[in-house]
Amino acid sequence: MRVEGTKQGRTPSSLAVPLGPGCDCSAEAPRVLRLVGLDAADEVITRSPGGEGKRRVFGVIMAVKWTGGHSSPILCMNASKDGLVASGAEGGDLVIWGEDGTLLGHMQFQGTDDVTSVLFSPSCPTKLYASHGETISILDVRSLKDSLDHFHVNEEEINCLSLNETENLLASADDSGAIKILDLENKKVSRSLKRHSNICSSVAFRPHRPQSLVSCGLDMQVMLWNLQKARPLWITNLQEDETEEMESLQSPGQLLNPALAHSVSVASCGNIFSCGAEDGKVRIFRVMGVKCEQELGFKGHTLGVSQVCFLSESYLLLTGGNDGKIMLWDVSREVEKKQKSPAKHTHRKKTKRATYTKQGGNTNASVTDEEEHGKISPKLNIEHGEKVNWLLGTKIKGRQNILVADQTSCISVYPLNEF
């Protein structure tokens, strides 16, 4: 039986707070900073441990807007190593941007299928893979008049593409729950992975493991695959794993969203990956041979987590939610702690519960307070105001930035000056 769920990026946002005009401004900030992109008069509130909170006014860091490329909501983005950015939108719209937000190219695919995933080739930065409906097209961004090649291997709409690091395999996850593995050299499907019982929302190859990938879906399952086998090596059901903990935390009459899994992202090391789900929780897993173990679970979003994205070569994790918030988390301390003492399962469980119960209170607590109490809090909390469809961390002109696609037709760019 298929679990009913809503695909991310297809429904109107209930948080339609407009952002102010784009600008690029920065200011000296506290270690834990709340970025607000609403109004020039907005203030950042910092709190001291146990204190009432002092009101201090900082220069507000606002989003620079890339406009004029799309006329419908943007659903996906990707960046090349040369600084180009591709974005796909509803209705078959594809746009190529320069790193300063200039419009370099536009393509309208035939039909009205949404462009749901775009992916640059790392070795050939002018080559772009794009999924639209049930089709995968390979494009040269220097000439978007026609595709170099196209494949129709999925039976239902594709939600996510992932390319392995040797660039010979392309994974495409679709609404049927299937993951098709396309052999790009021989131009044929080499594997068809069918274990998800509902929409497979996200798939990601693991760095340094070209035959290994992780996936998640609206069946609330996260899976680890090795392409030498047709079945997953490891499966976890997010709802079942959390039942005991959630029951102990639930207040009488409280409704909890099911843990429909929307997004996975693998860190550059290849052994740590994250999953964002509809219950508002972010989970961190470690791959240990042919199985995985949950290292960390924390809740910062008040609604579903639609996107998770590890920044390159780090354990800094971007998350975006249906609550219109974007957060940056540093999970390196927790991950490295577990590497040194992997057997302390009891302590981890207590830490998880403490994190879950306290997280919703004061996200602007000082770093010292967070560390003393053993909980993880976001390093940045951006009040974006629109439901997040896609997140991308990329360097623009040598500086790290967050690119955000939401229910509007423009891309929001936030500078990460401290990171």
Side-chain angles (χ1 to χ4, degrees):
M1 181 178 68
R2 289 165 68 92
V3 178
E4 292 300 323
T6 303
K7 290 173 64 175
Q8 293 300 303
R10 305 293 200 276
T11 55
S13 173
S14 59
L15 298 170
V17 181
L19 292 172
C23 68
D24 185 8
C25 51
S26 59
E28 184 178 351
R31 179 71 180 275
V32 179
L33 176 65
R34 187 176 181 220
L35 301 180
V36 185
L38 297 179
D39 188 272
D42 282 323
E43 298 172 338
V44 178
I45 302 174
T46 61
R47 296 180 185 272
S48 56
E52 286 299 318
K54 296 180 180 179
R55 187 172 292 273
R56 301 171 62 191
V57 180
F58 295 91
V60 176
I61 302 178
M62 301 173 70
V64 173
K65 296 296 189 71
W66 292 2
T67 61
H70 295 282
S71 57
S72 57
I74 300 171
L75 303 176
C76 58
M77 296 182 294
N78 195 241
S80 75
K81 65 178 184 181
D82 289 349
L84 298 179
V85 173
S87 58
E90 293 180 356
D93 219 23
L94 176 72
V95 169
I96 306 299
W97 309 81
E99 60 182 0
D100 57 354
T102 55
L103 184 62
L104 299 181
H106 176 268
M107 181 175 187
Q108 180 72 41
F109 288 108
Q110 291 184 353
T112 58
D113 290 328
D114 299 339
V115 180
T116 52
S117 189
V118 287
L119 202 59
F120 278 101
S121 161
S123 64
C124 182
T126 58
K127 182 187 290 186
L128 181 73
Y129 301 88
S131 64
H132 46 106
E134 303 157 10
T135 304
I136 301 168
S137 292
I138 303 179
L139 308 165
D140 185 334
V141 298
R142 296 168 298 185
S143 177
L144 292 174
K145 294 179 180 179
D146 200 6
S147 60
L148 301 176
D149 212 339
H150 67 275
F151 303 91
H152 192 131
V153 297
N154 291 80
E155 297 174 1
E156 296 190 28
E157 184 181 41
I158 298 168
N159 298 308
C160 184
L161 298 175
S162 182
L163 187 67
N164 71 348
E165 64 180 8
T166 53
E167 296 190 46
N168 65 317
L169 298 176
L170 181 71
S172 55
D174 68 27
D175 277 4
S176 73
I179 303 167
K180 301 291 185 178
I181 307 299
L182 183 63
D183 183 334
L184 295 172
E185 294 174 354
N186 297 312
K187 298 185 178 183
K188 66 178 184 179
V189 173
S190 62
R191 281 286 187 189
S192 183
L193 310 177
K194 296 181 179 180
R195 190 59 184 264
H196 285 285
S197 59
N198 203 323
I199 290 168
C200 185
S201 49
S202 186
V203 63
F205 275 103
R206 294 170 56 202
H208 317 298
R209 304 288 191 277
Q211 292 286 319
S212 181
L213 65 157
V214 293
S215 65
C216 72
L218 300 194
D219 55 1
M220 298 180 279
Q221 296 193 103
V222 180
M223 302 184 189
L224 171 69
W225 303 83
N226 187 300
L227 297 183
Q228 295 174 349
K229 299 181 180 293
R231 65 182 187 277
L233 299 176
W234 170 88
I235 303 175
T236 188
N237 186 302
L238 301 184
Q239 192 75 7
E240 291 175 359
D241 290 349
E242 298 298 324
T243 298
E244 179 185 346
E245 181 176 345
M246 298 299 284
E247 286 176 352
S248 67
L249 296 172
Q250 188 175 359
S251 303
Q254 181 182 2
L255 296 176
L256 295 174
N257 288 326
L260 310 175
H262 295 307
S263 177
V264 290
S265 177
V266 187
S268 297
C269 69
N271 291 323
I272 299 295
F273 69 93
S274 175
C275 177
E278 186 65 23
D279 59 0
K281 193 167 184 180
V282 178
R283 295 165 176 85
I284 307 294
F285 296 92
R286 181 190 301 278
V287 182
M288 304 174 67
V290 296
K291 64 177 183 178
C292 302
E293 182 177 302
Q294 184 172 322
E295 295 284 279
L296 193 61
F298 50 90
K299 189 173 183 180
H301 293 274
T302 56
L303 295 174
V305 180
S306 55
Q307 280 283 296
V308 291
C309 175
F310 274 107
L311 297 185
S312 179
E313 305 300 329
S314 77
Y315 290 126
L316 292 172
L317 178 70
L318 285 170
T319 63
N322 297 339
D323 56 1
K325 293 183 179 181
I326 299 156
M327 299 183 183
L328 179 69
W329 312 81
D330 185 355
V331 301
S332 60
R333 180 175 173 174
E334 294 296 326
V335 167
E336 289 163 3
K337 185 193 302 181
K338 303 296 165 50
Q339 284 177 332
K340 294 176 182 178
S341 55
K344 296 183 180 179
H345 301 298
T346 304
H347 176 72
R348 184 181 68 234
K349 194 75 172 181
K350 290 180 180 178
T351 302
K352 276 173 61 181
R353 293 193 178 193
T355 300
Y356 200 100
T357 53
K358 292 181 181 180
Q359 187 69 42
N362 175 20
T363 56
N364 288 332
S366 72
V367 173
T368 303
D369 193 38
E370 295 157 15
E371 292 175 353
E372 286 177 355
H373 289 79
K375 77 172 186 177
I376 180 170
S377 291
K379 297 301 178 186
L380 298 177
N381 185 348
I382 302 174
E383 295 284 354
H384 180 66
E386 283 279 351
K387 173 175 175 275
V388 176
N389 286 342
W390 204 274
L391 275 180
L392 178 64
T394 188
K395 287 189 176 180
I396 297 177
K397 297 180 179 178
R399 295 189 175 185
Q400 190 69 245
N401 287 265
I402 305 172
L403 275 62
V404 186
D406 52 36
Q407 296 297 102
T408 69
S409 59
C410 63
I411 295 174
S412 300
V413 183
Y414 292 95
L416 276 180
N417 296 327
E418 289 191 357
F419 298 90

